[in-house]
Structures are given as C-alpha cells and as structure tokens.
Amino acid sequence: MLGITVIGAGYVGLVTSVGLAQRGHTVTVVEVSERRLEPMRQGVVPIHEAGLQEGFTAAVDAGRLMVAREAPASADLLFLCVGTPINDRGHADLAALTGALRDLRPQIDTGAAIIIRSTMPLGTTDRVVREDGLPESRTFTNPEFLRQGSALGDFLAPSRVVVGTGRSPDSELLERLRTIFEPFAAPIHVVGYADAEAIKNASNAFLALKLSFANEIAALCECYGADADTVLQAVGADPRIGPLFLRPSFGFGGSCLPKELQTVAMAGLERGLEMHVTVAAAEANLAHQDRFAARLERRLAANTGTRVALLGLAFKAGTDDTRTSPALRVVRRLLAAGYEVSAFDPAVRQVAVSEAPGLRVSESAAAAVAGADLVAITTEWPEFRDLDWAALLRSMRKPIVVDGRRLLDPAAMRAVGADYERIGSAPPPLAGPESAPGPIGR
Ligand code: UGA
C-alpha cells in the first residue's frame, strides 16, 4: 500500500483521508489549525458530515489514519486539500496552497507525487506549477465532486474521477494514481490541467445555473398559480434535462456553487469574454433570496408583526456550514429592517456576530418560535417535518409559516391551524395592505 499524506483537514481533506483509509490505504492527515487539530487528537472530527465520525474512529483504531501538525518526512502521494477562497476581486486566494507547498518542499524533493484537490480556477494550476517551481511531471490535479452532507458517500462512489496532468506526466506516478482510483469503479478522465479546471468549474457552474433557473420558474409558477414541483418534476422527466437539482428554494448557497459562478465569470472576463449566462445566474440567485426576505417583510408588515423565527441556518441540510447561506442573507435583511430575529438549526449552535449582528440563535425550535409573528423554513432539515407543529403554532403570536424550501406538507400544516404558504405556489391573499409600515416605521 502507498504512503499517503493529506494536507488540510477541512471538508475535502478529512473526507479524502477517511475515504482513502476506508479503501485500505494508510493516511496521515496534516492540519495546522489547532481548533481543528485538537478535537481530532481526542478522536472527534471537527465537522458535521454523515458517517465521517464513525469512519474516522474506525480508521484511527485500525491504525490506518494518523493526525499530525506537520507532514511526515516521506510520502508517496501528497494530496493538497487546502482552501482556495475567492477574494474581493473575484480571484482565488492561493496563499494557503502556496504556503503548504513551501512547507512540503523536502517531501516534494524526495520524489513524491503532488496531487492538488483544492478547487483551481481556470489557468491557476499552470501558474502555481511555474511560480512555485513544482516538478510538472509529478504534479497532478484531482478536483473533487463531493456534496457536503453526503461527501463520504460521494467520495466512495464517484460519478467520475478527473486527473489533470502537465504535458508529460510521470507514467509510473500516473499508474499509481490509477491504482488508487480504479477500485472506485468510475470512469477516470486523464486530461490536461486546464481541462481539469474547466471540468470542475463548469460542473459547479452548471449546477448553479440549473438551480437559478429552477428557482426562477418556481417564482413564475407562483405568479400564475402553477405548482413548482408538479412543473419541474415533469420538466426533469426529459432525460436531456434530468430530474436532479431541480428542487426549488429561495436561493442556493454554500462555499462552492456561488463561488464557482464568480470564478467562471472572472475567467471569461480576463480573456475579454462576457459570461452572460453565468453572471445572470449569480445575480438571479441573490435576487431570489432578497425576494424571499421581502415576502417575509410584507407578511409581517401586513400583520404588524415584529418577531421572526427562522428554522435553518446551514446552507443546506446535513451540514453545519453557514458559508454563503441564503438563510443568513435573509436574516441580515430582516435585522436591518428592524425585526427581531431568532433562529434554530439542528447543526448550527452559533453564528459569528459579524455575520448577523443581533441574531438570537436558539437551542431548540420551540425556543426560537415561541412568541414569533412568523416562522420561515430556511433549510431543508427533514426533522423540521416531525416537529410538534400544533404546539409550536400555539406558542406563536401569529401562526404564519412561510416555507422557503417547500419542505412541509401544506395540507397537514393547515390542518393544525397554520397560515401556511410556500415558495413556488401562489400565496393565499393577504389579509392586510401589501406594504404596511414595518416595526420601525419604514
Ligand atoms: C457542490 C456540488 O454539488 C459538488 O458536486 C461539488 O463537489 C461541491 O459543490 C464542491 O465544489 O466542493 P455542495 O456545495 O456541498 O456541493 O452542495 P450542493 O448539494 O450542490 O447544494 C448547494 C446548494 O443548492 C444548497 O444551498 C442546496 O440547498 C441547494 N439545492 C441543491 C437546492 O436548492 N435544490 C436542489 O435541488 C439541490
């Protein structure tokens, strides 16, 4: 078996480490942040991801997974899984990647293969190889297609594996990579660096386009009294379109899809190419979130309500990640408009004050909802369906429920007394004027 070192114990690195250990490899995962490292030393994974804790414990117990602050002196394969966040100018910030490569110089010099799994915007791999003096024949990219919440499952059963190479890759190392990926029983695409970057960037951007379009059609359905699920399910039945990624919401988020729209748009711009569709998808996504916030404000204003409860802060169910969460954008808008906002999320215990100053994060759905004038469903956690809605509604000042994820059953909600509406279906007529003044007299 090959000696594998994985740099970075974030979502990608930790899942890669546990997944490779589950495939029988011996892996050392290297993390510089004490905040992440310390719990792992105690046997606890620092992120919420299905099956990861169990996989981590089993791999550590079997002696196949080690946690370290620094990379071991030798390794056959170095997987780089550090963040490449988008900076204010829409460029990837490669500081963590180049810093890690600098620290790994001794291992690189002993002949290890360098496999970059961090997301690389178009044109960046070539530049990193050149500027950081990496051996091109031994430097590969291997973009990941993991969804948070089902990342380990996606790692173990990928739809495809992409390996990006330089002009003349070391054939022995390439063969080693094949040995690692062949048991995954997925097609392996060995392509150039730019191809690999484009595959990753375009895959995410396409998913984002699909979502923005689905959300736009859902909004249109609302206006004409059509039902978004009925429509989109039938649309997705065409195999050319496909049924997945058509579940409408009030906007999508996360650290990947919104960022990828930005990187694709920027990649085009840098070559003088206007990326009309990509840019529109990003703008539409923000507009959908703001439209939802405005909808909540209208309902509150019409009922002279001042308190809102949100169920869900994570950008999607199954994760504790709130990065670019549509829920937080809505929270900020409501807070800015002067409403009192409380929220509950089964996986999110706190939100940085800077992200949403004034937001009260509650310990339970009951605590968040009690006394509210309106509750909004903002993350599609299945457990929200099983809440004691009759009791929750009784604890509210007004039993208004606005479902931004089409999660709850309208008939069941109305049966327990909810004044229920959801995105993608025509809202019931408002009782009061559409634009009555809000709590601070806007
Ligand atoms: C995304 C891609 O799906 C992965 O393939 C990719 O590897 C990953 O980014 C990455 O680049 O690392 P992720 O951000 O974890 O994965 O989440 P998604 O499952 O794509 O969901 C993104 C957003 O779309 C969430 O807010 C989710 O709630 C929303 N969504 C998703 C919908 O509103 N409707 C859907 O039908 C699907």
Side-chain angles (χ1 to χ4, degrees):
M1 276 293 158
L2 297 162
I4 296 179
T5 296
V6 174
I7 309 297
Y11 289 95
V12 176
L14 209 43
V15 168
T16 300
S17 305
V18 171
L20 288 172
Q22 286 192 352
R23 287 271 179 226
H25 299 284
T26 303
V27 182
T28 302
V29 58
V30 178
E31 175 57 59
V32 288
S33 152
E34 279 299 326
R35 189 176 54 80
R36 285 197 184 143
L37 194 58
E38 198 39 44
M40 287 196 293
R41 285 196 177 117
Q42 311 297 324
V44 177
V45 297
I47 54 176
H48 180 104
E49 191 57 58
L52 196 62
Q53 181 63 62
E54 297 83 341
F56 180 88
T57 307
V60 171
D61 289 350
R64 284 202 299 273
L65 182 58
M66 273 70 67
V67 174
R69 173 85 177 65
E70 277 168 26
S74 75
D76 298 300
L77 306 174
L78 298 166
F79 279 90
L80 283 116
C81 303
V82 297
T84 47
I86 296 295
N87 66 20
D88 296 343
R89 284 165 294 128
H91 292 115
D93 176 356
L94 301 174
L97 182 66
T98 51
L101 288 167
R102 205 173 34 243
D103 294 344
L104 290 168
R105 188 43 71 181
Q107 289 82 348
I108 293 173
D109 289 345
T110 57
I114 304 145
I115 303 135
I116 303 175
R117 252 169 100 65
S118 311
T119 299
M120 303 296 275
L122 270 157
T124 40
T125 312
D126 248 339
R127 186 154 60 81
V128 167
V129 166
R130 215 175 38 247
E131 289 176 4
D132 294 330
L134 299 179
E136 194 187 277
S137 63
R138 288 193 279 120
T139 302
F140 302 89
T141 59
N142 173 225
E144 50 82 18
F145 302 98
L146 311 172
R147 289 162 302 170
Q148 285 178 224
S150 51
L152 192 56
D154 288 348
F155 182 84
L156 295 169
S159 53
R160 77 291 210 195
V161 172
V162 174
V163 176
T165 76
R167 278 161 292 258
S168 36
D170 182 306
S171 52
E172 202 180 307
L173 290 181
L174 196 53
E175 203 41 47
R176 281 192 196 171
L177 278 181
R178 282 190 189 280
T179 321
I180 294 221
F181 292 127
E182 258 155 17
F184 290 80
I188 302 177
H189 300 261
V190 178
V191 298
Y193 291 148
D195 300 315
E197 291 160 352
I199 291 168
K200 166 73 184 184
N201 293 172
S203 297
N204 272 356
F206 187 79
L207 292 172
L209 298 184
K210 204 173 175 188
L211 287 178
S212 267
F213 185 72
N215 293 342
E216 192 160 286
I217 293 300
L220 195 65
C221 288
E222 259 169 54
C223 301
Y224 284 88
D227 178 76
D229 285 329
T230 310
V231 170
L232 289 166
Q233 275 164 20
V235 169
D238 182 332
R240 290 171 303 174
I241 296 172
L244 302 179
F245 259 70
L246 283 179
R247 201 184 62 242
S249 73
F250 66 100
F252 58 85
S255 63
C256 304
L257 301 195
K259 154 178 140 172
E260 213 83 49
L261 288 174
Q262 242 184 309
T263 50
V264 168
M266 184 51 73
L269 201 68
E270 281 178 353
R271 295 289 193 275
L273 193 64
E274 270 195 64
M275 305 297 285
H276 300 283
V277 179
T278 312
V279 170
E283 285 171 0
N285 186 37
L286 297 181
H288 291 140
Q289 296 168 41
D290 291 343
R291 187 169 166 271
F292 185 66
R295 179 177 184 158
L296 301 185
E297 287 186 52
R298 270 200 315 278
R299 288 261 24 213
L300 284 157
N303 291 282
T304 57
T306 56
R307 287 199 49 196
V308 196
L310 261 63
L311 291 184
L313 288 167
F315 80 95
K316 66 188 243 187
T319 178
D320 56 355
D321 197 343
T322 57
R323 282 177 291 175
T324 327
S325 172
L328 284 184
R329 186 173 171 97
V330 170
V331 166
R332 281 191 291 270
R333 251 197 82 146
L334 293 169
L335 288 169
Y339 292 98
E340 262 180 79
V341 188
S342 56
F344 168 71
D345 187 293
V348 182
R349 287 285 159 257
Q350 59 184 42
V351 171
V353 178
S354 56
E355 282 286 312
L359 168 69
R360 185 164 61 83
V361 181
S362 303
E363 285 297 309
S364 66
V369 165
D373 296 292
L374 182 154
V375 56
I377 309 295
T378 37
T379 307
E380 71 278 31
W381 286 102
E383 46 265 63
F384 291 158
R385 289 198 186 104
D386 304 326
L387 293 170
D388 181 351
W389 276 103
L392 289 180
L393 294 168
R394 273 197 304 277
S395 77
M396 294 173 68
R397 283 211 293 234
K398 302 257 166 48
I400 303 172
V401 181
V402 185
D403 191 342
R405 294 288 196 160
R406 294 176 68 86
L407 181 78
L408 306 174
D409 175 20
M413 289 302 290
R414 287 179 190 131
V416 291
D419 177 353
Y420 175 85
E421 63 180 68
R422 56 185 181 161
I423 58 110
S425 299
L430 285 179
E434 275 276 300
S435 54
I440 55 168
R442 286 151 305 117

